[in-house]
Amino acid sequence: MRNFATLTRMRIQLTLRNKMFLFFSVIMPFGFFFLYAGVFAKGQPAGVRFFLGPVVALTVMGSFWGLSAALVMFREQGILRRFHVTPVTPSDMLASSVVANYFLMFPTVLIEFLFARFVFHVTDFGDLLATFILISIGTVSFASLGLVVASVTNTMQETQVINQLLWLPLIFLSGATFPLAFLPHVVQNVSLFLPATYLVQGLQRAIFSSIPIWQLAVQVGSLAFWAILTFFLSAQLFRWEPEVKVRRNAKLLVLATIIPFLLLGFWENKYGNIPAQAQSALDSLSGPSKSAPPPDSQAQPDSPK
């Protein structure tokens, strides 16, 4: 345990020197926060609370980009080779990377909540236990995705291309950038095959709708299973040396990471109600339509003239 703590501390120190990690884990999340809170929510506490779930989800998801880039850079610079001569296994290195990423990411999320409270005067943050669990599981899940990317790419350029191809659909189709209820019905159906959708909608329901953790079992269970699967695969594909290239057929193992959400997406499209829940949250933010007549006026008969 002492060796693992030492390795984690070293990973934190090395990561803090990585400018790409600082951009995707600190600068970009705060940029999204003030964009959503100041422009989309117009500074209104209810609107800020509505968009806080997607903003936190973007912060959590951004960790996969910085983590994958940092590991590939460490391998190219020969830093991982130095760890290889110590009694450190691939699982130790990857687990310490996930833990270090968690400790580096969590202060950013905490500051976002503090900004929401003291700058935009949000006083109710929903179910904090459900929020904390979703943030923790989501961080591990997307950090493990970063480990898989780092394990199958050979150069920093290749890593950036793969990250970009993953990042764009994750943020644009999951409700992280635009509310899911705003998206076309076909896009909503496609979004149910993405892990980001379950993180975004889970956090929004926990923060905005105060949904307890036991009513978010689908989101929590799917992300937790995905985290275990991606971490296991990354450990199988991990390489210490930059000269060692990943086998082409080994990359096919990465396709196994899509199986959980492929099955869940079909099930949710047939039996689930995540789009309906997203619409309900948006309706709660908008309030009742002012053009609709009050119920009592519809029931009154015409008065005699």
Side-chain angles (χ1 to χ4, degrees), residues 59 101-111 132 135-136 139:
T59 304
N101 179 77
Y102 182 86
F103 283 114
L104 289 169
M105 182 280 309
F106 202 82
T108 303
V109 174
L110 180 60
I111 293 173
F132 174 77
I135 290 173
S136 300
T139 302

Side-chain angles (χ1 to χ4, degrees), residues 158-188:
E158 187 179 353
T159 303
Q160 292 175 346
V161 171
I162 297 298
N163 282 342
Q164 190 72 24
L165 291 175
L166 292 173
W167 180 247
L168 292 178
L170 287 178
I171 65 173
F172 285 113
L173 303 182
S174 64
T177 50
F178 302 99
L180 189 65
F182 281 175
L183 300 178
H185 184 68
V186 174
V187 178
Q188 292 182 16

Side-chain angles (χ1 to χ4, degrees), residues 127-148:
D127 193 302
L128 291 178
L129 176 61
T131 302
F132 174 77
I133 292 176
L134 279 166
I135 290 173
S136 300
I137 295 178
T139 302
V140 175
S141 300
F142 283 90
S144 298
L145 174 62
L147 299 180
V148 172

Side-chain angles (χ1 to χ4, degrees), residues 2 22 61 67 72-73 87 98 153 240-241 269 284 301 305:
R2 181 179 300 177
L22 291 177
M61 290 189 292
L67 182 58
V72 173
M73 184 177 298
V98 173
T153 55
W240 299 96
E241 308 286 345
N269 272 289
S284 299
K305 298 182 180 179

